[in-house]
Amino acid sequence: QPATAPKIVAKCAGNTTKVYVSWNGATTYDGWTIYGGNSAGNLSAVASISKTGFETEHQFGTQWKYILAEAKEGSRSLHNTSTVSFSC
């Protein structure tokens, strides 16, 4: 596992949120748990998605102010996260 945290970018697309996540150099993870919410201290799991190539993209039908991505291997969290705050 790399010493650096995963990278996450979130963008507004109409009434949806597009999230892009990657973790350069990591080889053991196979997916992400994505958390969303309107404050950094109140995030809920909103999706569990599989890794797709170098960068994983996922679109949500909801807009949040904060997105957190947590790397996982199977159902096990790797405790490597990144958070992004943004506004639409």
Side-chain angles (χ1 to χ4, degrees):
Q1 293 180 13
T4 58
K7 301 291 184 195
I8 181 170
V9 173
K11 297 181 178 183
C12 298
N15 292 328
T16 65
T17 302
K18 279 193 175 184
V19 176
Y20 305 86
V21 290
S22 64
W23 195 14
N24 192 17
T27 58
T28 61
Y29 79 104
D30 58 8
W32 302 96
T33 300
I34 306 295
Y35 299 82
N38 289 319
S39 70
N42 189 20
L43 301 176
S44 300
V46 294
S48 181
I49 57 177
S50 296
K51 173 184 168 187
T52 56
F54 175 75
E55 180 178 73
T56 300
E57 174 186 339
H58 194 77
Q59 185 166 323
F60 298 93
T62 305
Q63 291 181 350
W64 297 284
K65 292 183 181 178
Y66 293 86
I67 300 283
L68 180 141
E70 179 178 50
K72 64 180 189 169
E73 180 179 12
S75 61
R76 181 176 71 92
S77 168
L78 297 178
H79 302 289
N80 288 288
T81 64
S82 286
T83 305
V84 65
S85 76
F86 64 102
S87 60
C88 295

